[in-house]
Every structure is written in C-alpha cells, then in structure tokens.
Amino acid sequence: MGAQARELVRSSAEPAAPPAAPRRARPRHDKDRTSFWNGYFATEGPWNYGSSYEQEKYERQLEILPAGPIGRALELACAEGHFTRQLAPRVGHLTATDISAVAIGRARARCSDQPNVEFGVLDFCADTLPGEMDLIVCSEVLYYLDDLAELRRIAKKIVEALAPGGSFINAHAFVLRDNVERTGFDWNTFGAQAISETLAATEGLVLDQSIQTELYRIDRFRRLSPGDVATEPTIDHAPIRARLEIGVARNIVWGGARALRRDVARSERRQRIPVLMYHSVSDAGPAALARFRLTPAAFHSQMAWLRANGFHAIGSEQLEGFIANRQPFVGRPVLITFDDGFQNFADHAWPILRANDLTAEVFLVTDLVGENAQWDADSGPPTQLMDAGTVRRLAAEGAFFGSHLATHRAIDGLSSSDLAAELLRSRMFIERWTGRPTTAFAAPFSVTDRRLGRLAKQCGYRIGFGGRHGPAGLDCDPIDLPRIEIRGDRSLDDFVAKVEAVLEER
C-alpha cells in the first residue's frame, strides 16, 4: 500500500456494521469525522460481531468467494478485524483498512498470527485505492454514504482498483426506504436493493452471483476483462438459521410497513393517543378469565401491526409531560399498559414487545410480588406473579413499572389511611426494585373514588389510570386518565378499529 493510503485519513462513511446499527449523524469536517469514529471505537466491540447472525453472514461471504486462487485482496471498512481473520487464509495477501486508527489497532492485534495481512488507515471516499486487486470486500458500509451520487462515485473507484476479472463482494441489509412493501430494516435512506442496482449499472461491473435472504443480500460482482461477455448471474435464496439478537430484531419490520416512524413524526401531530390496557398473555388459563387473556400469537399480531403502522411506545411519565405542557403528540405514540404484573408478561409479552421495538408499563401488586393472583382464586388456579428479581431485570431492559397498589383490594373498600399506606408502600418497593422514581398508578378493579387523586398526589404520584374508557388527551386530568381495554375474546380487526379510531381524531 502506498504512503497516501497509510495516512490517518478521514471518511464520510461508517465502518462496517451489522444492520441493527442505526444511521448516525456524521460530522461534516474531516478532523471531526476522524475524532468521531475513533471515539466510537473507544469501547471495544461496538457491534455484536460474535453473534450467530453476524457469523452466518461471514460464512456466506466466504461461500461466495470466486473459485480458484485469489492473489491480492483488499478489505474496506474492516473495523476490528473479525471477518479479516476468516478471510486471510483464503487469499494470498490481504490489505485490511478502516477509517478508525483505534479499530485498526484492535484488528492488527486480532490477526497478529496471520502473516499475509497488512493493515492501514484508509478513507475510501477521499483516497486513492490500491490497484490491481483480485478481490475487494466492502460489506455493511455503503449504505452509510451520503447519497446514491456518492455511491456511484465510489463504485467507479472500486472498478478502477480491481484487476480485470477481479471480484467485488458486498453484504448489505434490505431497508424499508428501498421498498416499503417487503421485510426490511427501519433505518437509513437506502439499502441492499439500491446498492445492488447502482453497482449493476456501473460500467465495467457485472453481477456473477448473489445469495439472498429475507433480511440481506450478498453479491459478487466481477470487473469485465477486455472481450469478456457477461452471463446470467446465479441467484441463491437462503434461510436465516441464526437466532436474531434483540439489537437486530427490533429494527426489522416483517412483511413491510404501511407507515414509517420517521415520516409520521414529521407530518402528524395529534391531541389524543391510545393508552392500551392488558392483563395476561398466555395460551392457557381459566375460562372465566378469557376476556383478560390474549394468546401470545394474538398479542404478537397486535404489536406487529403497531410497528408496521409507524407507532412508537412511550411511558406514562412522557404522557404526563405532554399533558402538563399542552404539547401536541408527535407522530403516532402509544402507551401500552399491563395490570397485575403476571409472570407471563415476562415470559411472553416482553419478548414480543422488544422484538417490535416497543415497551410497556406494568402496574405491580407489590405485597404479592413473587406469589400469585389471589384475587382471581374463585375463577380457577391463580396466575403466578413476577418476583422482584424479574422486575429488576425487565426494568434494566427498558420496561416501566407503576403501582397497582399493595394488595389489589378495591379502593372503595379501603379507609383513607389504608389507601395512603398502600400508595406509599407500593411506591417505595417499586423504586427500590427499579432504581427509578415511581410516579404512576392504576386502580385495582378500575374502581376509583374522590379520595384517590388527592391522596395519590400527596403520596408523590403525578399520573393515574382509573375506570374511564377511551383515548387519553391533552385536556384530560393526568391523575384520572382513561384507557382502552384490549380483550382476549376479540379479533385483530377489533383491535385495529379501536386504534384507528384514535388516529382519526387528530
């Protein structure tokens, strides 16, 4: 590699990253960009390179390597050298480069036992690429370029750096911006489809082979030799067998989207939002409680619908802030609440929420945490409640928690002193378990009386949910907010109708 390519240079493109990584605002000046990306690698492993999902992608990139010996290879945006280490034994000599000197230092250490690898800091947007390469690899980075015009310019540079007959391999995720009707990641302005089309339209490049999954495609292009004739590419479709980490799954909208969050955030303001009330998510339970229980499949369908229609979840504290400031809601927020704190929330509902990039607020019966729902004993075997350790874990993962009081006794059957004691005691325990202030409550059995709001405020609460039905609006009393009950004996169409009715009230 020449001296120019060895300099500490700057790039307007992000280092290689899995599709879970969101698009980030990049500094516009060279020195700022260099500092930014070195700072980004200040913590080792900013992306989950070792996950089964990433490793499966690495394996497929190795599968698509051209047949026969590969002499000189160049890897652009090698990050910390995880794929570099796997590629090195397959080529004669490998030059691995990245924008970040910090990342290159780790990559060099990782591959110290690979004598055929040379490392350098390289800005593939601004610097001349080393030429006469038999193979260039540049994966999970091209969609971080500023626009397709810049991508076309980089594609020409790559063609010029390849020897005649040399191959260019790239792996990129499908994004909804390319095609909103198919499964894709809800980030970036263009993705695998636009990248493939741009490369295919580049003079001198022809697609030889493509491995396509539901989430990404891996393409091998070839620089045409003089007199070479392009042939039909081989297209292979492959399943994703690897387990998707939550950091990847939460950015996927399966089956396409009807609305994108960023679009509705720009265009929609509303006075009311849906506050959804759930209890239990389970395939089994007493028939008498069917109304209060959704199957995991039904709950998944509802959350997937919210995600595909551009909704984002907020907590009650955010809701109270909008109301206090009379600030219109931006985009399509939804507050998802669960009463009682059943263990099946942790087992079934929470994984579904996280996979759809949503969260929820759970109202706990604090004296009975770790026990069971004794108040339902007349209907059948009482359902298990989450214990304190589970509450701590879910809070650390982004779930919110509020008070369903301490004993689940109806409020109108409590003296004022007992009611205040339950409000205070439940708040104290939830704050101890979660490490966060507790400002919200939901009344057991949806029963309230005039004392509740006054006592709740005196006990430190700012937001409460009673028995009223309907959407929550900026004109509501924050200590007595309505909710929309989502019943387990109703269809997805009924759910959609309830939520869309709120949207239409904008």
Side-chain angles (χ1 to χ4, degrees):
M1 181 187 296
Q4 182 184 24
R6 289 183 183 276
E7 294 176 356
L8 180 58
V9 290
R10 283 74 56 189
S11 175
S12 62
E14 185 169 351
R23 186 176 178 87
R24 300 176 183 275
R26 293 164 304 200
R28 304 304 301 173
H29 300 291
D30 290 351
K31 290 183 179 179
D32 291 341
R33 286 196 296 265
T34 301
S35 175
F36 178 85
W37 290 115
N38 281 331
Y40 197 76
F41 280 100
T43 300
E44 186 170 359
W47 296 284
N48 194 8
Y49 308 107
S51 72
S52 57
Y53 175 71
E54 292 304 314
Q55 290 300 315
E56 186 174 73
K57 261 191 296 182
Y58 289 164
E59 291 170 6
R60 286 173 172 161
Q61 289 178 73
L62 295 175
E63 289 173 11
I64 209 171
L65 289 174
I70 301 171
R72 301 183 65 219
L74 170 67
E75 185 182 9
L76 303 175
C78 71
E80 295 177 344
H82 290 262
F83 182 67
T84 310
R85 183 171 180 80
Q86 298 184 40
L87 178 61
R90 307 289 292 271
V91 303
H93 183 271
L94 175 60
T95 300
T97 67
D98 196 275
I99 175 60
S100 169
V102 176
I104 285 294
R106 295 199 185 107
R108 183 180 286 113
R110 178 164 284 106
C111 300
S112 60
D113 60 342
Q114 303 291 323
N116 64 327
V117 183
E118 176 186 13
F119 290 93
V121 179
L122 174 70
D123 175 1
F124 67 76
C125 291
D127 287 338
T128 301
L129 303 183
E132 292 299 309
M133 289 291 164
D134 300 306
L135 172 69
I136 297 177
V137 177
C138 184
S139 292
E140 304 286 17
V141 66
L142 294 178
Y143 36 33
Y144 290 105
L145 300 176
D146 287 334
D147 50 38
L148 292 177
E150 187 176 27
L151 175 60
R152 287 190 288 270
R153 183 177 65 82
I154 297 303
K156 292 178 181 178
K157 289 181 67 171
I158 289 170
V159 172
E160 294 169 357
L162 285 170
S167 295
F168 173 63
I169 292 175
N170 75 100
H172 289 89
F174 293 109
V175 303
L176 294 171
R177 283 296 188 189
D178 282 352
N179 185 352
V180 74
E181 295 182 353
R182 62 149 294 151
T183 295
F185 287 83
D186 188 15
W187 59 281
N188 272 12
T189 54
F190 60 87
Q193 180 176 318
I195 291 169
S196 179
E197 291 170 354
T198 300
L199 292 170
T202 302
E203 184 177 358
L205 273 186
V206 61
L207 180 64
D208 270 346
Q209 185 178 355
S210 180
I211 298 176
Q212 299 180 14
T213 74
E214 192 170 6
L215 296 179
Y216 60 85
R217 62 183 289 166
I218 301 171
D219 293 332
R220 188 184 77 233
F221 287 86
R222 172 169 48 90
R223 179 180 177 178
L224 292 172
S225 303
D228 200 357
V229 177
T231 58
E232 283 294 314
T234 300
I235 309 296
D236 300 315
H237 295 276
I240 295 175
R241 298 187 179 90
R243 184 176 71 88
L244 296 179
E245 302 290 336
I246 190 62
V248 174
R250 67 194 301 233
N251 288 287
I252 302 167
V253 180
W254 297 95
R258 269 65 73 190
L260 300 181
R261 286 174 171 175
R262 72 191 80 176
D263 292 342
V264 298
R266 295 189 190 103
S267 62
E268 296 185 11
R269 299 293 183 273
R270 48 187 26 90
Q271 301 294 309
R272 300 180 184 278
I273 70 166
V275 179
L276 308 180
M277 179 178 67
Y278 295 90
H279 289 82
S280 183
V281 177
S282 177
D283 281 313
L289 301 177
R291 165 182 175 170
F292 304 105
R293 184 177 61 252
L294 273 76
T295 66
F299 184 70
H300 179 273
S301 295
Q302 293 178 3
M303 297 305 102
W305 186 90
L306 291 173
R307 184 70 171 92
N309 283 274
F311 284 84
H312 67 278
I314 64 172
S316 63
E317 190 170 349
Q318 292 171 280
L319 173 58
E320 192 266 340
F322 279 106
I323 294 173
N325 295 301
R326 291 295 188 266
Q327 178 184 350
F329 300 106
V330 177
R332 297 182 180 179
V334 59
L335 175 52
I336 302 167
T337 68
F338 278 79
D339 286 1
D340 303 324
F342 294 127
Q343 176 61 34
N344 60 45
F345 172 84
D347 295 339
H348 303 305
W350 184 237
I352 292 169
L353 287 160
R354 296 188 78 199
N356 285 282
D357 198 31
L358 298 166
T359 188
E361 189 145 355
V362 183
F363 295 104
L364 300 172
V365 184
T366 53
D367 281 6
L368 301 178
V369 161
E371 299 181 24
N372 54 53
Q374 299 172 4
W375 58 90
D376 287 334
D378 291 344
S379 300
T383 305
Q384 178 69 38
L385 300 170
M386 285 186 282
D387 60 22
T390 301
V391 172
R392 290 189 186 95
R393 174 176 65 83
L394 268 55
E397 293 176 355
F400 298 104
F401 290 91
S403 170
H404 209 36
L405 276 64
T407 65
H408 205 277
R409 289 182 290 173
I411 286 170
D412 57 1
L414 296 174
S415 67
S416 293
S417 60
D418 284 346
L419 176 54
E422 290 216 10
L423 285 163
L424 286 169
R425 187 163 75 250
S426 60
R427 181 167 174 254
M428 176 189 69
F429 277 106
I430 295 167
E431 290 182 345
R432 179 183 300 174
W433 296 328
T434 65
R436 295 198 296 253
T438 299
T439 59
F441 71 89
F445 302 108
S446 297
V447 175
T448 61
D449 61 29
R450 293 180 180 179
R451 299 171 301 154
L452 179 59
R454 173 177 55 82
L455 288 172
K457 289 179 180 179
Q458 293 174 359
C459 292
Y461 293 91
R462 298 200 307 269
I463 191 163
F465 301 94
R468 296 194 298 120
H469 175 83
L474 299 179
D475 57 351
C476 290
D477 179 358
I479 209 70
D480 186 22
L481 288 169
R483 292 188 287 178
I484 299 170
E485 181 186 1
I486 305 301
R487 296 175 52 151
D489 55 358
R490 301 291 172 83
S491 67
L492 177 62
D493 288 342
D494 181 74
F495 170 83
V496 171
K498 283 184 169 67
V499 177
E500 286 187 335
V502 182
L503 287 185
E504 292 167 1
E505 292 183 15
R506 335 175 356 204

